[in-house]
């Protein structure tokens, strides 16, 4: 029996749900708007997408999205469709066109969101997945237990090379595990990539010689392919241990090619995720989306953070992080490291740990570290101790008795 | 004075509009959620994004998108923000992170859509744009006046190589100008790319030897980069004159690299456009989106069609086509050819021509050609004659008196 691809959707339709499901399956395989004389039963049996599941969840009287067929009632459904792998082969770009192509524009659709994706093992043979993942990242960062305690250079853009290096100097003196560029910082003329990397890595390497542990810095090399390769080589040559790329900005081929070239973990930023997900009736859940990028090679994936400063709800954040930690498929785990950020302090450690049951993550805090009255070093220590408390199920206030850094932090974290 | 990038947005916010605009500008440049001691006035002046325009259009009492800050009133605004080019340099991937990064997720935002994009001339020096565009496409297709009359192989997937070649045989015998793969047809095991191209081009080349004019066939080479390059080379070697790629499936780096490699026009499919645009309160207008892809090298860009079978309104279709025909910037026209499709027949020719005032387009019809009772040849002729009538402002019914093919077509087009 041939391998099949399974995609699940939340569908809202003003049409009869069964007909709408059939139209979607047809449009995305061997059918079209009109009956075709050469879409024979044999052809349809071989190449047609199949409606595997259709369950009406509720009905509403107004469509979520305009432009669809008018109706008195709109059915919201759980829909699963499957395709024979041989329609497209184990190809991530063609998978995109198949599961997320024209279907969102159908008149039968007044809401459509991809909620799950199950891929056959051929995809794991065609794509290598993360080169480093959790274990490789821990090894390079020299962090065997607990989360990687991280931060981001701020302001996002506008610092000179020397100012950036100075900020890194404070951070590595504070024994931080992980530092990242902002996604807006790339190769602007005021803070060119190569000079920034050279200056920052000089500071990082010097600190590593003293401490024996090298902070991992994710340099944002997002750009055209030749630029990304050249920038990667420069990071590597300067002793860097991580590169960062904005997935939506370079696309699947961009990440694939970076993965082929890279000798360093790839920190994957999801900038633009909002336009793919902010309407609950349209676009992508994070679960199916991140699978595609992990297959293509992402080692770290951003998942926002609990009680973040953006619009995403906590349940969505946890679901995203769990998805990143779950196997891509039974035949290939391809684990990646979830990255928590946005308004984070030690106060979120307990809930984050309780929800995930692991410390295989990167927890980045900006103000939660820089704001510490005793300095960056104390800020890093406080966040680390908050995680010690979380893992050992010790109430934070009680654990603070053992750490003055944590005690002080709890006065400005809130 | 430094060059600047200008992006316009439709914004809906439950916050004070001015504050929301400032938050967006800050988040996408030198600011963050909290005041930073090192975001000095000099730094902000140099690197901060600027709110160039903010006009409240209307107020509503419910937010378009959930997750934002609660409010009694939501302001809908026209917003324009500008960035100094030196923040990022003339880089399309980093442009994406800047104009379409985290901002959609802000709590201040209950609706955000990119409506326009003005780029400085540096982008036209950094990117070559379409290699063929309108003139190059006309030359290769041997069509000096009128639109390219085109069609798509159907069923989208499921035909064997020989069945595909047979369909092409009928089409080229009917003197069609342009044929495209469906976006779902790539390199599946049942209809492998190389064999399909070889078989189809044998038919096309033979017909061209007889007629002196070679139909342009857009073979969908969407895939990983090495696959796309190899497939391109195969198309070229077989005498093919066009390749097709799904933009959202390969991403910007994918198109850029294909553009660098390609010696053929790139037919750009927008599969997935719905998830970027179907919510009126979120995502992208086609105008700014297609500019990015034209800079990256798209020669033909899909724009749907009038009275299409999807959910897009006619005004939106025409706006998209006009955008594709308009210069990317005053310093660089980089014209591309709009591609009209979806439920098209000769009946849309007049309105399409009236709205655009040009025939620099590809008009693809499936049923409108295949359904002709006198065969494919008559179907092609009928669609071509409908355009002759449109351009010469002759009522279709009157022009039908001069063409039996058109006369017959008008009985089944409706």
């Amino acid at each position: 029996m041939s391998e099949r691809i399974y995609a699940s959707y939340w569908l809202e339709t003003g049409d009869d749900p069964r007909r709408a499901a059939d139209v979607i399956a047809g449009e995305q395989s061997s059918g079209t708007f009109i009956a075709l004389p050469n879409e024979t039963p044999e052809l349809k049996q071989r190449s047609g997408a199949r409606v595997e599941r259709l369950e009406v969840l509720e009905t509403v009287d107004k469509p979520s999205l305009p432009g669809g067929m008018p109706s008195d009632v709109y059915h919201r459904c759980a829909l699963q469709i499957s395709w024979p792998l041989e329609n497209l082969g184990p190809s991530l770009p063609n998978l995109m066109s198949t599961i997320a192509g024209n279907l969102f524009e159908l008149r039968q659709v007044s809401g459509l969101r991809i909620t799950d994706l199950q891929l056959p093992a051929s995809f794991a043979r065609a794509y290598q997945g993360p080169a480093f993942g959790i274990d490789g990242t821990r090894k390079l960062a020299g962090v065997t237990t607990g989360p990687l305690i991280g931060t981001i250079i701020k302001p996002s853009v506008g610092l000179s090379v020397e100012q950036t290096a100075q900020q890194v100097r404070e951070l590595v003196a504070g024994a931080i595990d992980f530092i990242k560029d902002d996604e807006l910082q790339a190769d602007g003329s005021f803070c060119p990539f190569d000079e920034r990397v050279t200056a920052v890595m000089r500071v990082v390497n010097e600190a590593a010689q003293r401490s024996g542990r090298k902070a991992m810095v994710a340099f944002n090399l997002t750009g055209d392919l030749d630029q990304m390769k050249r920038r990667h080589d420069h990071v590597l040559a300067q002793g860097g241990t991580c590169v960062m790329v904005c997935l939506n900005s370079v696309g699947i081929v961009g990440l694939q090619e970076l993965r082929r070239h890279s000798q360093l973990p790839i920190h994957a930023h999801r900038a633009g995720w909002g336009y793919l997900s902010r309407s609950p009736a349209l676009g992508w859940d994070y679960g199916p989306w991140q699978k595609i990028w992990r297959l293509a090679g992402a080692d770290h994936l951003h998942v926002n953070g609990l009680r973040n400063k953006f619009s995403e709800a906590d349940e969505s954040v946890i679901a995203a992080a769990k998805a990143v930690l779950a196997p891509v498929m039974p035949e290939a785990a391809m684990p990646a490291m979830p990255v928590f950020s946005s308004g984070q302090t030690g106060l979120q450690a307990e809930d984050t740990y309780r929800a995930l049951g692991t410390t295989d993550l990167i927890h980045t805090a900006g103000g939660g570290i820089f704001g510490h009255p005793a300095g960056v070093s104390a800020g890093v220590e406080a966040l680390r101790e908050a995680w010690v408390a979380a893992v050992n199920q010790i109430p934070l206030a009680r654990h603070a008795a053992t750490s003055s850094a944590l005690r002080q932090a709890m006065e400005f974290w809130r």
Side-chain angles (χ1 to χ4, degrees), chain A residues 14-47:
Chain A
D15 201 351
D16 170 72
R18 181 72 220 188
R19 190 161 51 222
D22 287 341
V23 166
I24 292 171
E27 172 69 19
Q28 291 311 108
S29 62
S30 59
T32 186
F33 300 108
I34 51 167
L36 297 166
N38 56 352
E39 192 193 3
T40 60
E42 293 74 27
L43 187 150
K44 196 167 177 177
Q45 171 67 25
R46 184 180 64 235
S47 305

Side-chain angles (χ1 to χ4, degrees), chain A residues 73-276:
Chain A
V73 59
Y74 297 83
H75 292 86
R76 294 177 168 175
C77 316
L79 169 67
Q80 188 186 49
I81 293 179
S82 76
W83 290 261
L85 179 66
E86 68 195 25
N87 277 24
L88 58 149
S91 159
L92 291 178
N94 290 304
L95 177 72
M96 287 291 286
S97 312
T98 300
I99 66 165
N102 280 347
L103 59 172
F104 300 89
E105 298 180 57
L106 291 169
R107 278 170 49 78
Q108 285 79 4
V109 164
S110 64
L112 191 68
R113 192 171 169 98
I114 306 182
T115 55
D116 194 26
L117 174 63
Q118 304 296 334
L119 294 172
S122 293
F123 276 88
R125 288 188 290 272
Y127 295 97
Q128 298 179 288
F132 291 83
I134 294 167
D135 291 346
T137 296
R138 284 195 175 282
K139 203 165 175 180
L140 273 176
V143 179
T144 48
T145 58
L148 268 64
I149 301 297
T151 194
I152 180 172
I153 304 288
K154 289 278 177 189
S156 310
V157 284
L159 294 181
S160 67
V161 164
E162 211 16 78
Q163 289 170 320
T164 306
Q166 178 54 35
Q167 196 170 118
V168 170
R169 189 171 289 118
E170 291 175 43
L171 288 164
V172 292
I176 195 126
D177 302 323
F178 181 89
I179 303 170
K180 67 179 279 290
D181 278 339
D182 190 90
E183 74 277 9
L184 299 169
Q185 183 65 269
D187 192 27
S189 57
F190 193 73
C191 190
F193 185 89
D194 285 359
E195 295 172 37
R196 185 169 79 254
V197 171
T198 303
V200 165
M201 285 314 302
R202 187 178 302 131
V203 168
V204 170
N205 289 330
E206 282 169 9
Q209 284 200 320
R210 286 193 301 275
S211 72
R213 200 167 63 87
K214 188 185 279 191
M216 178 174 277
V217 184
F219 293 104
N220 179 26
L221 51 59
T222 301
D224 301 348
L225 184 56
D226 52 351
Q227 295 169 338
M228 290 200 288
K229 288 182 177 174
R230 203 186 42 66
R231 289 174 193 157
H232 163 276
D233 295 349
H234 184 65
V235 172
L236 188 68
Q238 298 298 313
T241 55
C242 190
V243 294
M244 164 170 147
V245 68
C246 294
L247 300 179
N248 292 311
S249 303
V250 301
I252 288 176
V253 166
L255 180 61
Q256 285 172 347
E257 289 301 308
L258 180 59
R259 166 67 177 84
R260 273 171 214 229
H261 183 80
S262 185
Q263 298 177 48
L264 299 170
I266 298 171
H267 185 84
H269 199 284
R270 67 181 198 180
W273 172 242
Y275 66 70
L276 298 174

Side-chain angles (χ1 to χ4, degrees), chain A residues 288-310:
Chain A
W289 189 82
Q290 57 84 34
K291 264 188 196 177
I292 293 169
W293 298 103
R294 269 162 73 195
L295 275 160
D299 291 286
H300 312 155
L301 274 153
H302 276 245
V303 297
N304 211 340
L306 291 183
R307 304 191 282 283
N308 62 78
K309 302 298 181 84
F310 288 110

Side-chain angles (χ1 to χ4, degrees), chain A residues 134 270 286-287 290 294 301-306 312 314-326 336-340 352 355-356 358 360-361:
Chain A
I134 294 167
R270 67 181 198 180
Y286 199 66
Q290 57 84 34
R294 269 162 73 195
L301 274 153
H302 276 245
V303 297
N304 211 340
L306 291 183
E312 188 176 4
D314 285 352
E315 314 84 77
S316 172
V317 172
I318 293 301
K322 283 185 175 172
V324 170
L325 288 163
M337 214 151 186
V339 183
F340 288 79
T352 303
L356 296 183
T358 180
D360 286 338
L361 56 92

